[in-house]
Amino acid sequence: MPGRRLARWVAAVPMAVLALATIYPLVFTANVAMKTRRDYILDRFSPAGSLRWDNLAEAWAGAGMARYFVNSFVVVAFAVALLLLFGSMAGFALSQLRFRGSSVIFLGCLAGLFVPFQVIMVPLTRVMADSGLIDTYPGLILAYVAQFLPFTVFLMTSHYRTIPAEIVDAARIDGNTVYGVYRRIMLPLGVPALLSVGILDALFCWNDVLISLLMMPSPEHRTLMIGVNALRGQYSDDIPTFASGVLIAAVPVLMIYLFLQRQIADGVTAGSTKG
Amino acid sequence: MPIGGTSPLVRPAGSVRADGATVKQPRRRQDARRGRTERLAPYVLVAPAVLIIVILRLWPLVLGVNFSFTGDGELNGTPVGLSNYLALAGDPLFRTALRNVGLLVLLLPVAVAIPGMLATFIYLRVPGHRVYRSVYFFPAVLSPVIVGAIFNLMLGYDGPLNAVLGAIGAGPVDWLGDPGIAMFTVVGVHIWATFGMALVVFLAGFSTLDASLLDAARVDGASLRQTIWHVIIPSLTRTIQFVFVTTMIGMLTSMFGLLFVMTSGGPEGATYLPEYYIWHQQGQMNQPALASAASTVLFVVMLVVGLLQITLLRRAGRQD
């Protein structure tokens, strides 16, 4: 059918334009990061002659980005570990065990999903301050766990629902306790879902601005994203170094994306089709 | 089969007597203890999640509503009735923030239609469809801070976007400095950064589509537009509904990062959204009670918008 084939090629044009519009901003930023200040002022569009590492080194050292990296890494690692532990425990109980109050508890977790952070940020900050957790690593970790736990519980529950009850029964007859079933059967069977939801949780925490801004006010506790924003003031007259800092902060996530694209997409869609 | 609530180790009474009580007695006590810990196990497993969600999400919601009826500063903690809400109603900055929410609702169809159309093209195997899927999705994983910083460069007076405009003969635009344009710019960047998410969800919906319907349409000689309108859209009502709701929630809750990096609410407060207003009142102006009132208003707005959307879409779905 020639008309159909033609229509496909016509559709390909806006798609290509949009793909360019998606990629170009990053290419432009990377190119700026490789220029000298003088080159940037003279012509910001021409391709940079060669790789320049001194901008990157200056952004890394001058802005103290190593510190922000470590802060972000520690907080995200602990938050994701706790999210996966608590999420899989609750998901297993809510999907495979029948107990009094389980449907109320599941609904309660769902309700948490529909409470946006913006709505509770003022009282939550106060609760954290009252318990001495503000401006501490445990405080920020706990805030992230609270923020993404409903989503994690929801996804783990719907994943564990797909596991046949016979597997659990068989493990019980073999003499496992409920905890044994969780540790020996459910954790290993949950790995694909844990991977997807863990990557998404990690991305959410790593990319967050608002929560870390509220929970970690002091400069030495800044997470990477808040640190990157601080670069703007520091290098307002040195755009190539600023662009280098932005690039450094973007690289870890881009790497993860390149390697784990499928898992990320699975996590995003899991809620839409299985729910 | 339920496992938590049952007591699988309890035997019929007759068997105990037959075996002799002296051997059985201690074992039965042990069994009973084991049965109890087993019965408690589900609660132990859900306890951390429930405690965290209740204490750090649901309880603050109640606290916040309660807090919004108390005073700030010297009146800290004393009940003041509705005066925070009256103050909000009289604050032009908050009114702008609400008006901008209205603008988001109006722009929502655009934010859904773009990924919807692209997903359709990808599904119909436009040349290069595999590559497009990964390319479109990649901004969705970037932090708003990174996206905002990149677009501050892109939208500069001498930046690439104005260069493109110059090439086609249009004058440069002050994307982030013109109060009439800035909000559209920020929303545009938000759409740029997030349409990949919705695209992936649409594609997941397409994968559940019945291929024989499409073949039937092809045999009947339906045009591309007819196929989309009469086959694809009706079969995807649920997915479209889901994308509408999640995109709306995304627009209402996750634009703080962009506002924080790109405009800081400016120019002249033109890019205020409720979340930015709440953050500003709480942290910068030290008026947490007023900020709580704004939070409560935002929560009500989101509930109303969400419910309206669900009813409207459900009605539209029924007509098909």
Side-chain angles (χ1 to χ4, degrees), chain A residues 131-174:
Chain A
S131 22
L133 285 168
I134 208 95
D135 212 20
T136 65
Y137 291 100
L140 183 58
I141 292 166
L142 207 56
Y144 282 145
V145 172
Q147 176 66 15
F148 301 116
L149 197 53
F151 165 77
T152 311
V153 169
F154 178 65
L155 280 199
M156 290 316 296
T157 307
S158 57
H159 174 75
Y160 281 139
R161 274 206 187 113
T162 64
I163 290 172
E166 285 79 10
I167 294 183
V168 180
D169 292 341
R172 297 278 292 162
I173 290 164
D174 287 347

Side-chain angles (χ1 to χ4, degrees), chain A residues 8 15 18 21-22 44 97 100 112 115 118 121-123 126 146-147 168 172 207 229 232 253 257 261 272, chain B residues 3 38 43 57 60 67 118 121 124 134 136-139 141 143 158 192 242 253 260-261 275 279 282:
Chain A
R8 273 185 200 166
M15 305 222 25
L18 203 68
T22 310
R44 51 196 65 186
L97 308 180
R100 200 182 280 274
V115 179
Q118 284 76 4
M121 67 192 210
V122 179
R126 178 162 280 209
Q147 176 66 15
V168 180
R172 297 278 292 162
N207 288 343
N229 188 55
R232 200 163 43 134
V253 169
Y257 179 66
Q261 231 184 96
S272 69
Chain B
I3 51 173
E38 292 285 281
Y43 298 101
R57 284 192 84 74
F67 201 36
L118 292 171
F121 290 153
L124 295 173
S134 339
Y136 292 154
F137 188 63
F138 107 86
V141 301
S143 167
D158 299 323
W192 178 89
F242 181 83
T253 60
F260 179 65
V261 175
E275 55 193 291
W279 177 74
Q282 134 116 343

Side-chain angles (χ1 to χ4, degrees), chain B residues 266-316:
Chain B
E268 297 164 31
T271 57
Y272 262 80
L273 278 176
E275 55 193 291
Y276 197 82
Y277 183 89
I278 297 165
W279 177 74
H280 190 250
Q281 290 302 335
Q282 134 116 343
Q284 271 51 49
M285 311 301 287
N286 202 17
Q287 305 209 70
L290 185 67
S292 284
S295 297
T296 309
V297 174
L298 174 63
F299 189 51
V300 172
V301 166
M302 291 184 66
L303 274 184
V304 170
V305 171
L307 289 178
L308 262 181
Q309 248 172 22
I310 290 171
T311 2
L312 281 179
L313 289 168
R314 196 168 280 165
R315 197 172 298 156

Side-chain angles (χ1 to χ4, degrees), chain B residues 169-319:
Chain B
V173 174
D174 191 1
W175 296 102
L176 294 170
D178 184 333
I181 295 174
M183 193 62 207
F184 288 95
T185 308
V186 177
V187 177
V189 173
H190 178 78
I191 293 177
W192 178 89
T194 55
F195 79 91
M197 284 275 184
L199 178 89
V200 169
V201 175
F202 268 123
L203 286 174
F206 273 117
S207 67
T208 64
L209 201 69
D210 188 356
S212 63
L213 280 176
L214 285 176
D215 290 337
R218 187 172 304 159
V219 170
D220 290 345
S223 72
L224 184 64
R225 200 188 323 146
Q226 283 170 324
T227 312
I228 292 175
W229 196 249
H230 294 290
V231 181
I232 293 181
I233 290 184
S235 346
L236 287 183
T237 339
R238 269 189 58 119
T239 308
I240 295 171
Q241 216 163 301
F242 181 83
V243 173
F244 253 97
V245 174
T246 50
T247 308
M248 186 74 243
I249 293 174
M251 279 182 141
L252 284 179
T253 60
S254 56
M255 279 177 64
F256 177 85
L258 283 184
L259 296 174
F260 179 65
V261 175
M262 294 180 74
T263 64
S264 308
E268 297 164 31
T271 57
Y272 262 80
L273 278 176
E275 55 193 291
Y276 197 82
Y277 183 89
I278 297 165
W279 177 74
H280 190 250
Q281 290 302 335
Q282 134 116 343
Q284 271 51 49
M285 311 301 287
N286 202 17
Q287 305 209 70
L290 185 67
S292 284
S295 297
T296 309
V297 174
L298 174 63
F299 189 51
V300 172
V301 166
M302 291 184 66
L303 274 184
V304 170
V305 171
L307 289 178
L308 262 181
Q309 248 172 22
I310 290 171
T311 2
L312 281 179
L313 289 168
R314 196 168 280 165
R315 197 172 298 156
R318 217 176 284 139
Q319 274 165 4

Side-chain angles (χ1 to χ4, degrees), chain B residues 118-167:
Chain B
L118 292 171
T120 313
F121 290 153
I122 290 179
Y123 180 71
L124 295 173
R125 300 223 176 75
V126 156
H129 58 98
R130 278 199 198 83
V131 181
Y132 287 137
R133 184 193 162 120
S134 339
V135 169
Y136 292 154
F137 188 63
F138 107 86
V141 301
L142 291 178
S143 167
V145 171
I146 308 271
V147 171
I150 289 176
F151 271 88
N152 278 346
L153 297 178
M154 292 292 292
L155 299 168
Y157 198 75
D158 299 323
L161 204 60
N162 276 338
V164 171
L165 283 184

